[in-house]
Amino acid sequence: MKGLMVLLDVAAAHLLMRVRQTVVAVAGVGVGVGFFLAVSGMMIGSQNDFIKTLIDSAPHIVASDEQRSAARQPALDAFPQAAVTVRGVRPQDEVRGLKDWPALLADARAIPGAVAAPTLVGAVAVRFAGRTEAVSLNGIDPRIEGKLAKIEESLIGGRLIDLEARPDGIIVTRPMADRLGAHVGDTLVVSSSAGTLQRMRIVALVDPDARAGFYAGDIAGYGLLRTAQVLFARPNVVNQIHVRLPNPQTAERDAARLEARWGYKWVSWEERSRDILNLLVVRDVIMYAVISAILVVASFGIYTAVSNSVADKRRDIAILRAMGFTERDVQVIFLAEGLAVGLIGVLVGFGLGTLLLEALSHAPLTMGGKPLVLPLDRGLRQYAVAGGASLVAALIAAWLPARKAASVDPVEILRGAA
Amino acid sequence: MTPLIEANRVSRTLADPEPFTLVCDASLSVAPGEMVAIVGPSGCGKSSLLYLLGLLDRPTSGSISIDGRVTEDLGEAERTHIRLERIGYVFQFHFLLPELTALANVALPMRRLARLTGDQIAERAAALLEKVGLGDGAGKRPERMSGGERQRVAIARALANDPAILLSDEPTGNLDSANTRMVIAEFQRLAHEEGRGVVCVTHDATVAAAADRRIHMLDGRIVAGD
Ligand SMILES: Nc1ncnc2c1ncn2[C@@H]1O[C@H](COP(=O)(O)OP(=O)(O)OP(=O)(O)O)[C@@H](O)[C@H]1O
Ligand SMILES: [Mg+2]
């Protein structure tokens, strides 16, 4: 653009003549952007880490032999035109379990890259040394279940595959073992509601840290699927299917599709964690509100700087206009001042933010005695958001004073001075 | 020959806060190569007339032509461009930009017009300063110059885009007699040798006497001319 450079030079001259005010305004933007990066880096980093844990610690989809709504009563179908109410329904003691489960399993496995495992879950009583505890026993296929989620990393004293070598093996959580006073290698007496009694030997314990998640529910226990079927006297019955997907983001869609096809309840990790995910949204809103407030405050600095510059330079504006500079030229000069402060501030802020994130990543934090590395998000996206938002804020902040500068009537100023 | 400036029954009134007439029914023309002085008592409307002639203000009635072109119907952008290209202003108080050196001040209108390259602009700015006797003051900021020096820089700047018209409002109001003589000589040279139209509002009898013509104003009206 012809003649633009001279406008930028005048703008730069104005800023350089008012070093202190310019520095303060730049610092305002810089601190705003720096803390934006540090705060959002921590918030988004911890959130991503949390969601990753949520996804990795459990199957992405769990199908169980439940329905989302009560079974339709035959009376309703028999008299479709009538107003029928059915009360006090007593269900037949149906044999619980997923009907046709090999077909369900095959369908889940038909999703490319997906892993699916059959499971039979039921309540058992566990006795050891005179103490009794209730355990929710999961009969699993250890080879497949190990690929489903990161349970293996949370095991102490043994491995999942040990169940295969010992069909009478059982895995309970460490707190459960502590309550029973049992250790790895001890034999528990396990009884089911079917009246079956079986001795089972502890082959490993689940350490209930964050990663274990789904598998470390207080009363969870694990054994072989075959063993569980015998214990519950339900040969060849399965009441849950656990699915892991190559891309967890498709869980919700895949679950809905499978549910529509097969009935039963297919729960995705998102549905299971809806409350927590909603909380994260609230957290996001709070974060962005705080960050916007920081940026607004920073743009006040720019507004003040440009406003003062305009007030100071009314004589100069008049002479520029008399010389043949247009209203738009004048406006561009002051917009450029605001934008320059914003731009330098953003660069300072990028430096500051990067330093803060670097410092945070080396912060000597511990959690429960173990060193804790803060999960930080250092994505370019955050830099782009912070930079973009600041520049827009700078433009808006400079806009009003620049408009005012453009509307200065040179004659009025010249009369007053001459 | 088309006059550079032609004012035809120009009036300028104010509505606020109460009706007031700054300039009433003024007609005049300025030809190339002449220096015209506008004289009259304080408050008679000399500056107001000059702002109208220089397209900084719009008349409430009457018409003003620059280079034979009627200006009333032009938009602000076009009027501003005429100022940039055809008109140079010199005021009583020099009105230099305090942040810029003498050279940068003189270069401003040329850079805005952007018809010359950066090197050509710097060269011409230096030459203009040389002409007003400030060859070695090019790098100085206004705050380190005397009133006379600043006024000479302002004249150099007014001539930057080689305007046909030079308008000045009390250019010698703040100067001693030596500087006043220098400005008079320069204005005469600009009119007589370079063929520009020079209009000079002044209280100074020497300046008025040096002009080719004098226009006398009283209460917003042109009352006599010679
Ligand atoms: N905004 C305004 N509102 C009211 N009156 C004004 C305004 N501006 C100027 N005037 C009046 O208009 C008249 C003409 O002003 P102008 O500046 O043109 O006079 P002048 O001849 O240049 O005077 P001087 O020789 O003192 O510079 C003066 O009486 C002045 O007080
Ligand atoms: Mg005046």
Side-chain angles (χ1 to χ4, degrees):
Chain A
M1 202 160 108
K2 262 171 56 166
L4 178 65
M5 273 316 287
V6 65
L7 305 181
L8 299 185
D9 280 359
V10 172
H14 284 173
L15 291 176
L16 291 175
M17 281 307 260
R18 310 165 58 88
V19 174
R20 199 161 43 100
Q21 190 149 33
T22 305
V23 166
V24 169
V26 164
V29 177
V31 169
V33 169
F35 277 85
F36 181 116
L37 290 175
V39 171
S40 68
M42 277 193 290
M43 297 283 274
I44 293 177
S46 63
Q47 180 164 322
N48 288 347
D49 187 65
F50 180 77
I51 292 180
K52 193 170 161 350
T53 306
L54 212 60
I55 292 171
D56 284 348
S57 69
H60 298 157
I61 301 175
V62 174
S64 57
D65 59 344
E66 290 167 36
Q67 307 286 344
R68 289 210 185 254
S69 49
R72 214 171 146 73
Q73 291 301 318
L76 293 174
D77 293 327
F79 308 102
Q81 308 294 333
V84 181
T85 16
V86 183
R87 290 182 188 208
V89 176
R90 292 243 164 64
Q92 257 181 332
D93 214 10
E94 55 186 295
V95 181
R96 300 282 302 250
L98 294 164
K99 246 180 260 169
D100 256 351
W101 66 264
L104 273 62
L105 193 65
D107 200 19
R109 282 176 178 163
I111 299 169
V115 179
T119 306
L120 178 62
V121 186
V124 294
V126 169
R127 213 141 39 82
F128 180 76
R131 263 167 283 191
T132 305
E133 289 283 342
V135 167
S136 168
L137 183 69
N138 294 257
I140 59 170
D141 181 335
R143 281 189 186 279
I144 308 177
E145 202 74 24
K147 289 186 206 148
L148 272 168
K150 291 191 173 165
I151 176 178
E152 196 77 70
E153 292 171 18
S154 307
L155 292 186
I156 31 184
R159 299 191 313 138
L160 212 53
I161 211 71
D162 295 343
L163 288 175
E164 208 144 82
R166 295 199 60 106
D168 64 339
I170 187 170
I171 298 173
V172 293
T173 63
R174 202 184 42 185
M176 171 69 72
D178 289 347
R179 281 202 297 278
L180 290 166
H183 299 95
V184 173
D186 288 340
T187 301
L188 312 174
V189 177
V190 179
S191 55
S192 76
S193 56
T196 324
L197 210 77
Q198 184 163 352
R199 294 176 161 278
M200 296 180 84
R201 198 173 131 127
I202 301 179
V203 296
L205 299 176
V206 185
D207 188 16
D209 63 6
R211 276 169 302 144
F214 176 80
Y215 289 93
D218 188 48
I219 60 165
Y222 300 91
L224 268 192
L225 175 59
R226 253 180 301 127
T227 311
Q229 285 169 339
V230 170
L231 197 58
F232 295 120
R234 285 150 114 188
N236 214 22
V237 170
V238 158
N239 62 4
Q240 282 191 0
I241 289 176
H242 295 171
V243 186
R244 182 181 183 79
L245 299 168
N247 174 11
Q249 298 311 320
T250 67
E252 191 133 46
R253 235 179 314 131
D254 288 329
R257 190 172 51 77
L258 289 164
E259 181 164 317
R261 159 113 40 111
W262 297 105
Y264 297 121
K265 202 168 159 184
W266 297 72
V267 178
S268 67
W269 65 270
E270 278 155 302
E271 183 183 346
R272 191 176 60 242
S273 315
R274 185 82 68 212
D275 289 352
I276 296 175
L277 292 175
N278 285 345
L279 267 181
L280 291 182
V281 172
V282 173
R283 215 174 82 127
D284 273 358
V285 169
I286 294 173
M287 173 180 82
Y288 281 110
V290 170
I291 284 168
S292 314
I294 297 177
L295 289 180
V296 167
V297 171
S299 62
F300 283 156
I302 293 179
Y303 175 83
T304 310
V306 178
S307 269
N308 287 346
S309 182
V310 170
D312 259 22
K313 297 295 170 199
R314 285 167 64 83
R315 263 174 73 110
D316 291 18
I317 294 168
I319 195 66
L320 284 171
R321 299 275 288 114
M323 234 187 269
F325 284 66
T326 61
E327 293 179 18
R328 234 192 83 228
D329 292 338
V330 171
Q331 192 170 346
V332 168
I333 288 173
F334 290 96
L335 276 180
E337 288 181 28
L339 212 56
V341 168
L343 201 63
I344 299 170
V346 164
L347 294 179
V348 168
F350 281 178
L352 179 66
T354 307
L355 285 180
L356 284 173
L357 285 169
E358 195 56 31
L360 283 170
S361 72
H362 290 121
L365 297 174
T366 55
M367 190 186 197
K370 292 183 220 163
L372 175 73
V373 179
L374 276 182
L376 295 170
D377 178 70
R378 301 200 218 189
L380 284 180
R381 211 182 77 102
Q382 288 314 108
Y383 284 80
V385 169
S390 302
L391 290 183
V392 169
L395 255 186
I396 295 171
W399 190 266
L400 292 172
R403 284 302 308 251
K404 206 169 159 200
S407 67
V408 163
D409 178 6
V411 170
E412 199 180 301
I413 309 286
L414 293 173
R415 258 196 234 290
Chain B
M1 191 159 42
T2 357
L4 293 171
I5 306 176
E6 174 110 72
N8 191 9
R9 309 199 59 180
V10 168
S11 295
R12 175 72 167 99
T13 54
L14 296 173
D16 292 329
E18 54 200 51
F20 185 86
T21 302
L22 296 170
V23 176
C24 183
D25 224 12
S27 299
L28 64 90
S29 82
V30 177
E34 70 171 344
M35 175 174 168
V36 178
I38 300 178
V39 294
S42 184
C44 70
K46 305 182 293 294
S47 296
S48 302
L49 179 61
L50 199 72
Y51 300 144
L52 291 169
L53 298 180
L55 308 188
L56 271 175
D57 197 8
R58 284 176 188 263
T60 23
S61 70
S63 98
I64 293 168
S65 303
I66 303 287
D67 295 328
R69 188 175 174 202
V70 177
T71 57
E72 275 67 61
D73 306 328
L74 298 180
E76 198 47 47
E78 277 171 292
R79 291 164 60 92
T80 304
H81 194 76
I82 292 175
R83 283 208 297 276
L84 180 66
E85 223 185 349
R86 302 294 288 165
I87 301 173
Y89 266 107
V90 179
F91 299 95
Q92 176 175 5
F93 299 99
H94 42 84
F95 276 116
L96 301 178
L97 299 200
E99 299 89 356
L100 304 182
T101 62
L103 192 81
N105 264 289
V106 175
L108 273 177
M110 291 187 268
R111 296 185 62 193
R112 179 62 189 85
L113 190 61
R115 221 168 255 166
L116 303 177
T117 66
D119 289 345
Q120 287 170 325
I121 287 173
E123 208 172 291
R124 178 167 165 79
L128 284 166
L129 284 172
E130 188 81 48
K131 243 192 224 170
V132 294
L134 283 174
D136 46 2
K140 274 196 196 172
R141 291 253 188 84
E143 68 205 14
R144 290 177 44 223
M145 288 187 264
S146 73
E149 286 172 331
R150 293 177 197 173
Q151 195 59 301
R152 283 185 269 163
V153 175
I155 293 171
R157 186 180 62 189
L159 297 173
N161 283 335
D162 196 16
I165 299 163
L166 185 71
L167 303 179
S168 65
D169 198 346
E170 314 265 12
T172 59
N174 272 21
L175 301 183
D176 61 15
S177 55
N179 275 305
T180 300
R181 275 197 304 278
M182 186 249 135
V183 169
I184 290 172
E186 178 65 11
F187 278 17
Q188 283 178 325
R189 196 183 63 77
L190 291 171
H192 302 149
E193 289 173 28
E194 300 188 355
R196 300 177 211 266
V198 177
V199 178
C200 186
V201 168
T202 188
H203 275 125
D204 191 320
T206 3
V207 179
D212 303 317
R213 269 186 314 122
R214 278 146 295 278
I215 291 172
H216 297 267
M217 285 187 78
L218 191 63
D219 291 338
R221 290 172 185 276
I222 293 176
V223 289
D226 58 29

